[in-house]
């Protein structure tokens, strides 16, 4: 081990994982702990920080992390930041300011050459037939000193981390150490060196000298940090140099960046490798081996005919399938709900158990489990096979993740981690969601609050007739393959 790592994150990683082929995993369900983990890695890094993000907002959370990245570069740490360009509109000045610091390299993935100040102009490009809008790097990854990493479903924004955010998501990340981390670094390098990745300075003009950009950047940072407690459990674990982790065999799965240029839609396992959809291939192979139970949590669920057929096969083999996704009242993507809702009857008829997350019922449950504020939306992406194998990552179970966006994930062989996630999400389903059931006619849906009790007679609980009417009007206009 290099001397620089002997007393830092390398020492913590070595103390937290059994040497050899195993990796260590620390579940991060609390937003504050998930942010704490990222800050610990950035602030303790001595050699390198590689951060890959789909969305990185310049709000309290984003600026806290940006400040930490700048300070790390000031310590001599090599900082590489790779951002998907979809949500960077209006933030070029912030990124130019960060990139003006020695030691910071910043690249944009599949960048927009025009309309950089407005998301509306990018939507206009899409309306005119530009495919760039629909083909994005959805990966989320942070690797520090090549020895500790964080991966999962969270974007970088207040809504994913801070309790005081008016809009909050519940999500799942893992802190990772051990044998799988080098593969995670390789995944980052693959995207960093891709033809789709472009240095910021080749896309955005730099009218100001570096010194002035650094000064303006410093002036834009608010005083203080994100209000994290240094006395949290995770902070104490890092301070003492040992993070308790589940020890397990694992593999990293990541799509090829060239998936964005592949026009072939992968409809079976034999085509997936050709299409560059390695994450979906890995997950498909794992779930097909289910013997008695499959548990899937996803904010966006569009199974399609192939998925429904798979559910029927599971049912015939005696495999219990439980699906937890957002209700219309909870989703942040109402258009995606169009693609989901038309499969609900078929999903239930195929024998699966279907739960929809309810903001009204879920608030109390998550306050008790996470000690936080109101959580309106589900954003976690996970699958548990036979309470033994876990998939965690960025992939939603919808056509966009399947065919358009690139994804990253971890397949982990750990009954202990599987049980921890199952207990967490099962309570969400049982106490914080609606359970859907079919009427005797095989067509009419009923929603049961909290998973039981009397059925709710309203259609799409928690919504008004106007929002439901709008979806009905939009349905003929939105193709399922881009949802």
């Amino acid at each position: 081990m290099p001397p620089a790592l002997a007393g830092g994150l390398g020492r913590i990683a070595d103390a937290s994982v059994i040497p050899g082929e195993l990796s260590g995993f620390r579940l991060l369900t609390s937003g504050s702990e998930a942010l704490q983990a990222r800050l610990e890695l950035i602030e303790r890094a001595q050699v390198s920080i590689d951060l890959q993000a789909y969305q990185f907002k310049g709000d309290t959370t984003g600026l806290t992390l940006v400040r930490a990245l700048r300070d790390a570069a000031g310590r001599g740490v090599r900082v590489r930041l790779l951002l998907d360009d979809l949500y960077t509109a209006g933030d070029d000045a912030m990124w130019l300011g960060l990139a003006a610091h020695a030691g910071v390299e910043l690249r944009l993935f599949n960048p927009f050459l025009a309309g950089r100040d407005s998301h509306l102009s990018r939507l206009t490009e899409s309306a005119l037939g530009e495919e760039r809008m629909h083909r994005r790097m959805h990966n989320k990854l942070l690797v520090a000193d090549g020895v500790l990493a964080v991966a999962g479903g969270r974007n970088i924004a207040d809504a994913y981390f801070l309790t005081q955010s008016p809009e909050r998501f519940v999500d799942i990340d893992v802190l990772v150490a051990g044998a799988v981390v080098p593969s995670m670094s390789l995944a980052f390098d693959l995207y960093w060196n891709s033809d789709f990745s472009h240095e910021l300075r080749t896309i955005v003009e730099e009218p100001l000298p570096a010194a002035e950009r650094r000064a303006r950047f410093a002036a834009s940072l608010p005083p203080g940090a994100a209000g994290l407690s240094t006395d949290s459990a995770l902070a104490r674990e890092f301070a003492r140099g040992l993070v308790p982790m589940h020890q397990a065999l694992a593999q990293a799965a990541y799509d090829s960046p060239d998936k964005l240029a592949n026009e072939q839609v992968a409809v079976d396992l034999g085509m997936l490798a050709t299409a560059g959809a390695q994450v979906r291939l890995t997950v498909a192979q794992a779930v097909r081996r289910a013997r008695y139970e499959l548990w899937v949590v996803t904010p966006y669920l569009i199974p399609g005919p192939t998925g429904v057929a798979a559910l029927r096969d599971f049912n015939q083999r005696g495999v219990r399938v439980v699906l937890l996704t957002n209700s219309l009242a909870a989703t942040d993507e109402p258009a995606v709900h169009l693609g989901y809702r038309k499969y609900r009857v078929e999903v239930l008829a195929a024998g699966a158990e279907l739960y929809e997350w309810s903001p009204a019922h879920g608030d109390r449950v998550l306050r008790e489990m996470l000690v936080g504020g109101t959580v309106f939306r589900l954003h976690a992406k996970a699958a548990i096979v036979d309470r033994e194998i876990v998939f965690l990552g960025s992939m939603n179970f919808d056509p966009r993740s399947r065919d358009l966006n690139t994804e990253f994930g971890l397949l982990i062989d750990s009954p202990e981690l599987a049980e921890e996630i199952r207990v967490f999400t099962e309570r969400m389903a049982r106490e914080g969601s609606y359970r859907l059931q079919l009427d005797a006619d095989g067509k009419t849906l009923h929603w049961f609050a909290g998973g039981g009790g009397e059925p709710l007679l309203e259609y799409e609980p928690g919504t008004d007739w106007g929002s439901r009417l709008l979806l009905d009007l939009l349905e003929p206009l939105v193709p399922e393959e881009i949802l």
Side-chain angles (χ1 to χ4, degrees):
M1 180 182 297
L5 297 181
L9 294 178
R11 174 180 55 81
I12 296 174
D14 280 350
S16 304
V17 184
I18 299 172
E21 298 181 352
L22 297 180
S23 300
F25 300 93
R26 167 70 148 77
L27 191 64
L28 304 169
T29 53
S30 160
S32 59
E33 272 205 334
L35 180 55
Q36 183 81 55
R38 289 165 169 81
L39 286 172
E40 293 283 355
L41 297 194
I42 294 171
E43 292 173 354
R44 293 175 182 271
Q46 296 174 294
V47 177
S48 64
I49 297 168
D50 293 332
L51 198 162
Q52 185 177 13
Y54 171 63
Q55 183 180 15
F56 197 131
K57 292 185 67 173
D59 54 16
T60 300
T61 296
L63 291 176
T64 296
L65 290 173
V66 161
R67 182 203 303 272
L69 292 170
R70 178 203 62 182
D71 294 347
R75 300 193 307 270
V77 177
R78 183 201 68 189
V79 175
R80 295 191 296 178
L81 182 58
L82 179 60
L83 302 175
D84 185 85
D85 199 37
L86 182 60
Y87 289 104
T88 62
D91 289 336
D92 285 348
M94 177 176 71
W95 299 125
L96 286 170
L98 177 62
H101 293 81
V104 176
E105 300 176 71
L106 199 153
R107 294 183 181 179
L108 300 176
F109 193 87
N110 199 13
F112 292 83
L113 302 181
R116 300 209 51 82
D117 292 329
S118 168
H119 194 68
L120 179 60
S121 63
R122 300 180 183 189
L123 288 172
T124 302
E125 274 194 49
S126 176
L128 294 175
E130 174 56 62
E131 284 296 316
R132 182 179 288 108
M133 177 70 70
H134 297 298
R135 296 180 179 270
R136 309 308 317 173
M137 181 189 75
H138 196 235
N139 313 37
K140 303 105 166 38
L141 181 62
L142 169 63
V143 183
D145 286 351
V147 295
L148 281 169
V150 173
R154 286 182 172 91
N155 295 307
I156 306 300
D158 287 348
Y160 300 88
F161 296 96
L162 300 185
T163 58
Q164 62 266 37
S165 173
E167 177 183 58
R168 294 190 65 214
F169 295 89
V170 60
D171 215 323
I172 299 175
D173 291 327
V174 279
L175 177 66
V176 187
V180 77
V181 175
S183 295
M184 300 170 78
S185 291
L186 287 174
F188 179 89
D189 286 339
L190 178 68
Y191 280 80
W192 182 258
N193 296 313
S194 164
D195 290 340
F196 288 96
S197 296
H198 298 266
E199 292 186 34
L200 179 65
R201 62 182 177 82
T202 66
I203 303 299
V204 182
E205 292 185 6
E206 302 177 1
L208 301 175
E212 187 170 348
R213 280 187 280 127
R214 288 193 296 270
R216 292 193 176 195
F217 174 81
S220 71
L221 297 176
L228 292 178
S229 170
T230 56
D231 193 37
S232 68
L234 188 63
R236 291 193 297 271
E237 291 163 7
F238 268 95
R240 70 171 182 260
L242 173 64
V243 179
M245 291 183 162
H246 298 295
Q247 312 291 308
L249 293 172
Q251 69 177 94
Y254 42 94
D255 291 339
S256 166
D258 292 335
K259 178 182 177 183
L260 271 66
N262 197 324
E263 298 297 332
Q264 182 183 42
V265 175
V267 295
D268 57 49
L269 294 186
M271 296 171 60
L272 289 175
T274 303
Q278 293 297 327
V279 178
R280 182 178 166 225
L281 174 62
T282 299
V283 175
Q285 290 174 332
V287 302
R288 287 190 175 191
R289 293 196 297 268
R291 303 184 309 276
Y292 66 89
E293 185 179 85
L294 174 62
W295 187 279
V296 174
V297 181
T298 177
Y300 316 119
L301 175 65
I302 304 178
T306 302
V308 172
L311 292 175
R312 293 194 193 100
D313 178 65
F314 284 128
N315 188 45
Q316 291 169 3
R317 293 196 285 116
V319 178
R320 179 194 182 211
V321 178
V322 184
L323 306 172
L324 172 61
T325 191
N326 277 311
S327 64
L328 177 57
T331 187
D332 63 326
E333 296 285 356
V336 177
H337 194 81
L338 288 172
Y340 157 69
R341 70 178 186 175
K342 68 182 182 182
Y343 288 105
R344 285 185 297 205
V345 169
E346 293 181 73
V347 165
L348 292 168
E353 299 173 33
L354 182 57
Y355 293 85
E356 292 183 355
W357 174 250
S358 161
H361 296 91
D363 179 43
R364 176 190 59 80
V365 177
L366 287 176
R367 281 179 181 273
E368 294 176 3
M369 290 196 292
L370 301 180
V371 193
T374 300
V375 177
F376 290 101
R377 312 185 195 283
L378 173 70
H379 197 258
K381 309 100 164 40
I384 306 170
V385 180
D386 292 338
R387 305 194 180 189
E388 296 176 354
I389 307 295
V390 174
F391 168 78
L392 287 174
S394 65
M395 187 189 79
N396 299 304
F397 290 75
D398 63 5
R400 181 172 292 276
S401 282
R402 181 190 70 199
D403 302 322
L404 301 178
N405 292 342
T406 68
E407 307 291 350
F408 177 89
L410 294 164
L411 195 67
I412 308 164
D413 186 353
S414 172
E416 296 80 12
L417 182 64
E419 182 65 7
E420 190 175 357
I421 297 172
R422 188 194 65 81
V423 168
F424 177 73
T425 55
E426 184 178 47
R427 187 175 177 192
M428 290 176 58
R430 186 178 66 250
E431 300 181 31
S433 304
Y434 304 110
R435 179 169 180 177
L436 277 69
Q437 292 188 4
L438 282 179
D439 203 346
D441 62 8
K443 298 178 181 179
T444 305
L445 291 172
H446 292 292
W447 284 258
F448 290 79
E454 292 296 317
L456 299 171
L457 300 180
E458 59 183 303
Y459 179 74
E460 303 284 9
T463 65
D464 57 63
W465 70 270
S467 61
R468 298 194 294 272
L469 175 61
L470 179 60
L471 284 190
D472 291 338
L473 295 174
L474 287 176
E475 187 164 13
L477 307 177
V478 183
E480 181 179 315
E481 60 269 17
I482 67 169
L483 294 176

